[in-house]
Amino acid sequence: MIVLGIDTSKETGAVALTKDDLLLGELALQIQDAYLQSILTMMDHLFKETHLTIKDVDLFTVVLGPGSWSGLRIGVTTAKSLAHGLNKPIVGVSTLDALAYNLRYTEKLIYPAIGAKRGNVFFAGYRCTGDTPQRFTNYKHTSVKEYLNDLEEPSVLLLDDSLRHQEVFTSRRSDVVTIGSPFLSQIRGVFINEAGLHKFVSSGADDTLSLVPLYLQEAEAEAKWASTHNR
Amino acid sequence: MNHNNMLEDVADFTVKTRSADETLEFGRRLGALLRPQDIIALVGDLGAGKTWLAKGIAFGLEVPGHEYVNSPAFDLVHEYQGRLPVYHMDFYRLDQLSNEDYLWIEEYLDRQGVCVIEWADKFIDQLTKDYLKVELRETYNEDEREIRITDIGGRYKRVIEGLKQQ
C-alpha cells in the first residue's frame, strides 16, 4: 500500500511517501510561511524521484492540528482535494499523536507540546512502551503552568520552537524530566504515515468531505475531535 | 464600536491630498517607512479611498506594479509579496469576530509582514493595542481627502517622524 503523508501544521512542511514497510522518500522544510507555497512542489519532487505518480497513492494521511490556522487549512484542503479527486481514502492525524511516534520503546512518558496563543499550550500525554503510542490524557489546551503541574514522571517533553527556550521549561529539567532534542520535537513525515496507517487499519478511513482541521480552542476542539473520531 | 472615541483622538499628523494620484503617492511614502509586524488601520466611509491608499502602501512596500491591488472585502484577505509580505484585509463583511476569526487574524498579525486593514475600527481594539490609525475623509472639494494619522500605543513614532520629514 502506497501512502502519502502531508504536514503543514507549523513552520515546518513535511511530505513522505511510503510503500508498505518501506520509506520511499521524505522531505521536510522549515522556512517561515514558505511551506504554504512549496508543499505541492515537494510532493511533485518526491513522485519524480521515486518514479511514481499521484495516481499510485492508495491512502492519504494528513496532520489535522493543532497548529497554524493557515497551514492547516492548506494542508488539509490539499489532502482532501487529492483524496476526493482520485477517490482514495484519507486519514487525519493529530499533531500530538504524530509527534509521540518520534520516541518509543521507553518506560518514560512522552508529552508533546505546541505553543498556542496567550502563553497557552496544546499537549497530551502518551505511553510509548510499544510500537504504537497510547494516549492516556485528553487533548488539552491549557496554561503552561497547568501543563507542568499535570506532568507525571519520569517523562520526556517534546517542545516546539516557541516553547523550548522558555525558562519555565528549562528550569523544570531534572533527572526525571528530560527535554527532548529539537529534532525529535518536529513532525516527521514518515510517522504521519505510520500513525495514519495504524489508524486506517484499526478504525478505517475518515470521511473525506467532512474532515476538518483541528484548530479550534479547548472545549470546541475536544468536542469536535470526539464527535468525528469516536474516541 | 467606539468610532466616536476614535474621532476624539488628536491626530499626530494630518495631510490633505488634492487628487487620487496624490493619495496614492502618500500611501507609497507611508509604505516605504513600514517594518515587519506593523499594522495599518484604515478608517473611512465607503468611497473615502481606503483601497486606493492600501494600493499606494503596497507599492511603497515594493509590491510589483503588475500586481492588481483591489478590495479584499469579499475574500477577507489578499496577500502580496513586496520588500515585505503585505496582508491586505477588510473587516467590512464581518459582523462580529468568531473564535475562528480570531485565530486567522491573530496569525496574520504575528507574521513577519505588514497588515493593512480596511474598516479596521470595527474590531481592531479587540485585537491589538498598537496600530497606526489612518483616517480618510472626503472634503467639500471633489477628489480632495483629509488624511489623519494617529499612533495608537506608541509603536509608530518613527513613522510619524518619517512622514513629517518628507
Side-chain angles (χ1 to χ4, degrees), chain A residues 73-137:
Chain A
R73 293 285 281 208
I74 287 168
V76 174
T77 305
T78 302
K80 282 174 68 165
S81 307
L82 292 170
H84 185 60
L86 297 162
N87 200 22
K88 296 289 172 63
I90 185 169
V91 168
V93 176
S94 149
T95 311
L96 299 165
D97 290 0
L99 286 169
Y101 271 79
N102 287 359
L103 269 181
R104 278 174 279 172
Y105 315 108
T106 172
E107 295 299 322
K108 292 186 176 179
L109 300 170
I110 310 300
Y111 287 92
I114 296 163
K117 286 283 170 193
R118 287 172 260 284
N120 290 340
V121 289
F122 295 107
F123 80 95
Y126 297 83
R127 292 183 216 290
C128 296
T129 50
D131 287 339
T132 314
Q134 303 294 321
R135 184 165 55 84
F136 66 92
T137 68

Coordinates of all heavy atoms in Angstrom, one line a residue, chain A residues 73-137:
Chain A
R73 N -5.2 24.8 7.1 CA -6.2 25.0 6.1 C -5.6 24.4 4.7 O -6.3 23.7 4.0 CB -6.6 26.4 5.9 CG -7.3 27.0 7.0 CD -8.7 26.6 7.1 NE -9.6 27.3 6.1 CZ -10.9 27.5 6.3 NH1 -11.5 27.0 7.4 NH2 -11.6 28.2 5.4
I74 N -4.4 24.8 4.5 CA -3.8 24.5 3.2 C -3.5 23.0 3.1 O -3.8 22.3 2.2 CB -2.5 25.3 3.0 CG1 -3.0 26.7 2.6 CG2 -1.7 24.7 1.9 CD1 -1.9 27.8 2.6
G75 N -2.9 22.4 4.2 CA -2.6 21.0 4.2 C -3.8 20.1 4.1 O -3.9 19.2 3.3
V76 N -4.8 20.4 4.9 CA -6.0 19.6 4.9 C -6.8 19.7 3.6 O -7.3 18.7 3.1 CB -6.9 19.9 6.2 CG1 -8.2 19.1 6.1 CG2 -6.1 19.6 7.5
T77 N -6.9 20.9 3.1 CA -7.6 21.1 1.9 C -6.9 20.4 0.7 O -7.5 19.8 -0.1 CB -7.7 22.7 1.6 OG1 -8.3 23.3 2.7 CG2 -8.5 22.9 0.3
T78 N -5.5 20.5 0.7 CA -4.8 19.8 -0.4 C -5.0 18.3 -0.3 O -5.3 17.7 -1.3 CB -3.3 20.1 -0.2 OG1 -3.0 21.5 -0.2 CG2 -2.4 19.5 -1.3
A79 N -4.9 17.8 0.9 CA -5.0 16.3 1.0 C -6.5 15.9 0.7 O -6.7 14.9 0.0 CB -4.7 15.9 2.5
K80 N -7.4 16.6 1.2 CA -8.8 16.3 0.9 C -9.1 16.4 -0.6 O -9.8 15.5 -1.2 CB -9.8 17.3 1.6 CG -10.0 17.0 3.1 CD -10.8 18.1 3.7 CE -12.2 18.1 3.3 NZ -13.1 18.9 4.2
S81 N -8.6 17.4 -1.3 CA -8.9 17.6 -2.7 C -8.3 16.4 -3.5 O -8.9 15.9 -4.4 CB -8.2 18.9 -3.2 OG -8.7 20.0 -2.5
L82 N -7.1 16.0 -3.1 CA -6.4 14.9 -3.8 C -7.2 13.6 -3.6 O -7.5 12.8 -4.5 CB -5.0 14.7 -3.4 CG -4.1 15.9 -3.8 CD1 -2.7 15.8 -3.1 CD2 -3.9 15.9 -5.3
A83 N -7.6 13.3 -2.3 CA -8.3 12.1 -2.0 C -9.6 12.1 -2.7 O -10.0 11.0 -3.2 CB -8.4 12.0 -0.5
H84 N -10.3 13.2 -2.6 CA -11.7 13.2 -3.3 C -11.6 13.1 -4.8 O -12.3 12.3 -5.4 CB -12.3 14.6 -2.9 CG -13.7 14.7 -3.4 ND1 -14.7 13.8 -3.0 CD2 -14.3 15.5 -4.2 CE1 -15.9 14.2 -3.6 NE2 -15.6 15.2 -4.3
G85 N -10.6 13.8 -5.4 CA -10.5 13.8 -6.8 C -10.1 12.4 -7.3 O -10.5 11.9 -8.4
L86 N -9.2 11.7 -6.6 CA -8.7 10.4 -7.0 C -9.5 9.3 -6.4 O -9.3 8.1 -6.7 CB -7.3 10.3 -6.6 CG -6.3 11.3 -7.2 CD1 -5.0 11.3 -6.5 CD2 -6.0 10.9 -8.7
N87 N -10.5 9.6 -5.6 CA -11.4 8.6 -4.9 C -10.6 7.6 -4.1 O -10.8 6.4 -4.2 CB -12.3 7.9 -6.0 CG -13.5 7.2 -5.4 OD1 -13.9 7.6 -4.3 ND2 -14.0 6.2 -6.0
K88 N -9.7 8.1 -3.3 CA -8.9 7.3 -2.4 C -9.2 7.7 -1.0 O -9.6 8.8 -0.7 CB -7.4 7.5 -2.7 CG -6.9 7.1 -4.1 CD -6.9 5.6 -4.3 CE -6.7 5.1 -5.7 NZ -5.4 5.5 -6.2
P89 N -8.9 6.8 0.0 CA -9.2 7.1 1.4 C -8.2 8.1 2.0 O -7.1 8.3 1.5 CB -9.1 5.8 2.1 CG -8.2 4.9 1.2 CD -8.5 5.4 -0.2
I90 N -8.7 8.8 3.0 CA -7.9 9.7 3.7 C -8.0 9.5 5.2 O -9.1 9.1 5.7 CB -8.3 11.2 3.3 CG1 -7.3 12.2 4.0 CG2 -9.7 11.5 3.8 CD1 -7.5 13.6 3.4
V91 N -6.9 9.7 5.9 CA -6.9 9.6 7.4 C -6.3 10.9 8.0 O -5.2 11.2 7.6 CB -6.2 8.4 7.9 CG1 -6.0 8.4 9.4 CG2 -7.0 7.1 7.5
G92 N -6.9 11.5 8.9 CA -6.3 12.7 9.6 C -5.6 12.2 10.9 O -6.1 11.3 11.6
V93 N -4.5 12.9 11.2 CA -3.7 12.5 12.4 C -3.5 13.8 13.2 O -3.2 14.8 12.7 CB -2.3 12.0 11.9 CG1 -1.5 11.7 13.1 CG2 -2.5 10.7 11.1
S94 N -3.7 13.6 14.5 CA -3.4 14.8 15.4 C -1.9 15.1 15.4 O -1.1 14.2 15.4 CB -3.9 14.5 16.8 OG -3.1 15.1 17.8
T95 N -1.6 16.4 15.4 CA -0.2 16.8 15.5 C 0.5 16.1 16.7 O 1.6 15.7 16.6 CB -0.1 18.3 15.7 OG1 -1.0 19.0 14.8 CG2 1.3 18.9 15.6
L96 N -0.2 16.0 17.8 CA 0.4 15.5 19.0 C 0.6 14.0 18.9 O 1.7 13.5 19.3 CB -0.5 15.8 20.2 CG -0.7 17.3 20.5 CD1 -1.9 17.5 21.5 CD2 0.6 17.9 21.0
D97 N -0.3 13.3 18.3 CA -0.1 11.8 18.0 C 1.1 11.6 17.1 O 1.9 10.7 17.4 CB -1.3 11.2 17.3 CG -2.6 11.1 18.2 OD1 -2.5 11.6 19.4 OD2 -3.6 10.7 17.7
A98 N 1.2 12.4 16.1 CA 2.3 12.2 15.1 C 3.6 12.5 15.9 O 4.6 11.7 15.7 CB 2.2 13.2 14.0
L99 N 3.7 13.5 16.7 CA 4.9 13.8 17.5 C 5.3 12.6 18.4 O 6.5 12.3 18.6 CB 4.8 15.1 18.3 CG 4.8 16.3 17.4 CD1 4.4 17.5 18.2 CD2 6.3 16.6 16.9
A100 N 4.3 12.0 19.1 CA 4.5 10.9 20.0 C 5.2 9.7 19.4 O 5.9 9.0 20.0 CB 3.2 10.5 20.7
Y101 N 5.0 9.6 18.0 CA 5.7 8.5 17.3 C 7.2 8.7 17.3 O 7.9 7.8 16.9 CB 5.1 8.4 15.9 CG 3.9 7.4 15.8 CD1 2.7 7.9 16.2 CD2 4.1 6.1 15.3 CE1 1.6 7.0 16.1 CE2 3.0 5.3 15.2 CZ 1.7 5.7 15.6 OH 0.6 4.9 15.6
N102 N 7.7 9.9 17.5 CA 9.1 10.2 17.4 C 9.9 9.4 18.5 O 11.1 9.2 18.4 CB 9.4 11.7 17.6 CG 9.0 12.4 16.3 OD1 8.5 11.8 15.4 ND2 9.2 13.7 16.3
L103 N 9.3 9.0 19.6 CA 10.0 8.3 20.7 C 9.2 7.1 21.1 O 8.1 7.3 21.6 CB 10.1 9.3 21.9 CG 11.4 10.2 22.0 CD1 11.3 11.0 23.3 CD2 12.6 9.4 22.0
R104 N 9.8 5.9 21.1 CA 9.1 4.7 21.5 C 10.0 3.7 22.2 O 11.2 4.0 22.3 CB 8.5 4.1 20.3 CG 7.1 4.8 19.9 CD 6.6 4.3 18.6 NE 7.2 4.9 17.5 CZ 7.0 4.5 16.2 NH1 6.2 3.5 16.0 NH2 7.6 5.1 15.2
Y105 N 9.4 2.7 22.7 CA 10.1 1.6 23.4 C 10.9 2.1 24.6 O 12.0 1.8 24.9 CB 11.1 0.9 22.4 CG 10.4 0.6 21.1 CD1 10.8 1.3 20.0 CD2 9.4 -0.4 21.0 CE1 10.1 1.1 18.8 CE2 8.7 -0.6 19.8 CZ 9.1 0.1 18.7 OH 8.4 -0.1 17.5
T106 N 10.1 3.0 25.3 CA 10.7 3.6 26.5 C 9.6 3.6 27.6 O 8.4 3.7 27.3 CB 11.2 5.1 26.3 OG1 11.5 5.6 27.6 CG2 10.1 5.9 25.6
E107 N 10.0 3.5 28.9 CA 9.1 3.5 30.0 C 8.7 4.9 30.3 O 7.8 5.2 31.1 CB 9.7 2.8 31.2 CG 10.0 1.3 31.1 CD 8.7 0.5 30.9 OE1 7.7 0.9 31.5 OE2 8.8 -0.4 30.0
K108 N 9.5 5.9 29.9 CA 9.2 7.3 30.2 C 7.9 7.7 29.4 O 7.7 7.2 28.4 CB 10.4 8.2 29.7 CG 11.6 8.0 30.5 CD 12.7 9.0 30.2 CE 13.9 8.8 31.1 NZ 15.0 9.7 30.8
L109 N 7.2 8.6 30.1 CA 6.0 9.1 29.5 C 6.4 10.3 28.5 O 7.3 11.1 28.8 CB 5.1 9.7 30.6 CG 4.7 8.6 31.6 CD1 3.9 9.2 32.7 CD2 3.8 7.5 30.9
I110 N 5.7 10.3 27.4 CA 6.1 11.3 26.4 C 5.0 12.4 26.3 O 3.8 12.1 26.2 CB 6.2 10.7 25.0 CG1 7.1 9.4 25.0 CG2 6.7 11.7 23.9 CD1 8.5 9.7 25.5
Y111 N 5.4 13.7 26.4 CA 4.5 14.8 26.4 C 4.8 15.8 25.3 O 5.6 16.7 25.5 CB 4.6 15.6 27.8 CG 3.9 14.9 28.9 CD1 4.7 14.0 29.8 CD2 2.6 15.0 29.2 CE1 4.1 13.4 30.8 CE2 2.0 14.4 30.3 CZ 2.8 13.6 31.1 OH 2.2 13.0 32.2
P112 N 4.3 15.6 24.1 CA 4.5 16.6 23.1 C 3.7 17.8 23.4 O 2.6 17.7 24.0 CB 3.9 16.0 21.8 CG 3.5 14.6 22.2 CD 3.5 14.5 23.7
A113 N 4.2 19.0 23.2 CA 3.5 20.3 23.4 C 3.8 21.3 22.3 O 4.9 21.4 21.8 CB 4.0 20.9 24.8
I114 N 2.7 22.0 22.0 CA 2.8 23.0 20.9 C 2.3 24.3 21.5 O 1.3 24.4 22.2 CB 1.9 22.6 19.8 CG1 2.4 21.3 19.2 CG2 1.8 23.7 18.7 CD1 1.4 20.6 18.3
G115 N 3.1 25.4 21.2 CA 2.7 26.7 21.7 C 1.4 27.2 21.1 O 1.2 27.1 19.9
A116 N 0.5 27.7 22.0 CA -0.7 28.3 21.5 C -0.7 29.8 21.8 O 0.2 30.3 22.4 CB -1.9 27.6 22.1
K117 N -1.8 30.5 21.5 CA -1.9 31.9 21.8 C -1.9 32.2 23.3 O -2.3 31.3 24.1 CB -3.2 32.4 21.2 CG -3.2 32.5 19.7 CD -2.4 33.8 19.3 CE -2.2 33.7 17.9 NZ -1.1 34.7 17.5
R118 N -1.5 33.4 23.7 CA -1.6 33.9 25.0 C -0.9 33.0 26.0 O -1.4 32.8 27.1 CB -3.1 34.1 25.4 CG -3.7 35.3 24.7 CD -5.2 35.4 24.9 NE -5.9 34.9 23.8 CZ -6.1 35.5 22.7 NH1 -5.6 36.7 22.5 NH2 -6.8 35.0 21.7
G119 N 0.3 32.5 25.7 CA 1.1 31.7 26.6 C 0.5 30.4 26.9 O 1.0 29.7 27.9
N120 N -0.5 29.9 26.2 CA -1.0 28.6 26.4 C -0.3 27.5 25.6 O 0.5 27.8 24.7 CB -2.5 28.6 26.1 CG -3.3 29.4 27.1 OD1 -2.9 29.6 28.2 ND2 -4.5 29.8 26.7
V121 N -0.6 26.2 25.9 CA 0.0 25.1 25.1 C -1.1 24.1 24.8 O -2.1 24.0 25.5 CB 1.1 24.4 25.9 CG1 2.3 25.2 26.0 CG2 0.6 23.9 27.3
F122 N -0.9 23.5 23.7 CA -1.7 22.2 23.4 C -0.8 21.1 23.8 O 0.4 21.1 23.4 CB -2.0 22.1 21.9 CG -2.8 23.2 21.3 CD1 -2.3 24.2 20.5 CD2 -4.2 23.2 21.6 CE1 -3.1 25.2 20.0 CE2 -5.0 24.2 21.0 CZ -4.5 25.1 20.2
F123 N -1.3 20.1 24.5 CA -0.5 18.9 24.8 C -1.3 17.7 25.1 O -2.6 17.8 25.2 CB 0.4 19.2 26.0 CG -0.2 19.1 27.3 CD1 -0.1 17.9 28.0 CD2 -0.9 20.2 27.9 CE1 -0.7 17.8 29.3 CE2 -1.5 20.0 29.1 CZ -1.4 18.9 29.8
A124 N -0.7 16.6 25.1 CA -1.3 15.3 25.5 C -0.2 14.4 26.1 O 1.0 14.7 25.7 CB -2.0 14.6 24.4
G125 N -0.5 13.4 26.9 CA 0.5 12.5 27.4 C 0.4 11.1 26.8 O -0.8 10.7 26.5
Y126 N 1.5 10.5 26.5 CA 1.5 9.2 25.9 C 2.4 8.2 26.6 O 3.5 8.5 27.1 CB 2.0 9.3 24.4 CG 1.1 10.2 23.5 CD1 1.3 11.6 23.6 CD2 0.2 9.6 22.7 CE1 0.5 12.4 22.8 CE2 -0.6 10.5 21.9 CZ -0.4 11.8 21.9 OH -1.2 12.7 21.2
R127 N 1.9 6.9 26.6 CA 2.8 5.8 27.0 C 3.3 5.2 25.7 O 2.6 4.9 24.8 CB 2.0 4.7 27.7 CG 1.5 5.1 29.1 CD 0.8 4.0 29.8 NE -0.3 4.4 30.6 CZ -0.2 5.2 31.7 NH1 1.0 5.4 32.1 NH2 -1.2 5.6 32.3
C128 N 4.6 5.2 25.6 CA 5.3 4.7 24.3 C 6.1 3.5 24.6 O 7.3 3.5 24.1 CB 6.1 5.9 23.8 SG 5.0 7.3 23.3
T129 N 5.6 2.5 25.3 CA 6.4 1.3 25.6 C 6.5 0.4 24.4 O 7.4 -0.4 24.3 CB 5.8 0.6 26.8 OG1 4.4 0.4 26.5 CG2 6.0 1.4 28.0
G130 N 5.5 0.5 23.5 CA 5.5 -0.5 22.3 C 5.6 0.2 21.0 O 6.1 1.3 20.9
D131 N 5.0 -0.5 20.0 CA 5.0 0.1 18.6 C 4.2 1.3 18.4 O 4.5 2.2 17.6 CB 4.5 -1.0 17.6 CG 5.4 -2.1 17.4 OD1 6.7 -1.9 17.7 OD2 5.0 -3.2 17.0
T132 N 3.1 1.4 19.2 CA 2.1 2.4 19.0 C 1.9 3.2 20.2 O 1.6 2.7 21.3 CB 0.7 1.8 18.6 OG1 0.9 0.8 17.7 CG2 -0.2 2.8 18.1
P133 N 2.2 4.6 20.2 CA 1.9 5.4 21.4 C 0.5 5.3 21.8 O -0.4 5.3 21.0 CB 2.2 6.8 20.9 CG 3.1 6.6 19.6 CD 2.6 5.3 19.0
Q134 N 0.3 5.2 23.2 CA -1.0 5.1 23.7 C -1.3 6.4 24.5 O -0.6 6.6 25.5 CB -1.1 3.9 24.7 CG -0.8 2.6 24.1 CD -1.8 2.2 23.0 OE1 -3.0 2.4 23.2 NE2 -1.4 1.6 21.9
R135 N -2.2 7.2 24.0 CA -2.5 8.4 24.7 C -3.3 8.1 26.0 O -4.3 7.4 25.9 CB -3.4 9.3 23.7 CG -3.7 10.7 24.3 CD -4.1 11.6 23.2 NE -5.3 11.1 22.5 CZ -6.5 11.2 22.9 NH1 -6.8 11.8 24.0 NH2 -7.5 10.7 22.2
F136 N -2.8 8.7 27.1 CA -3.5 8.4 28.4 C -4.1 9.7 29.0 O -4.7 9.7 30.1 CB -2.6 7.7 29.4 CG -1.4 8.6 29.8 CD1 -1.6 9.4 31.0 CD2 -0.3 8.6 29.1 CE1 -0.5 10.2 31.4 CE2 0.8 9.4 29.6 CZ 0.7 10.2 30.7
T137 N -4.1 10.8 28.3 CA -4.8 12.0 28.7 C -5.7 12.5 27.6 O -5.6 12.0 26.4 CB -3.8 13.2 29.0 OG1 -3.2 13.6 27.7 CG2 -2.7 12.8 29.9

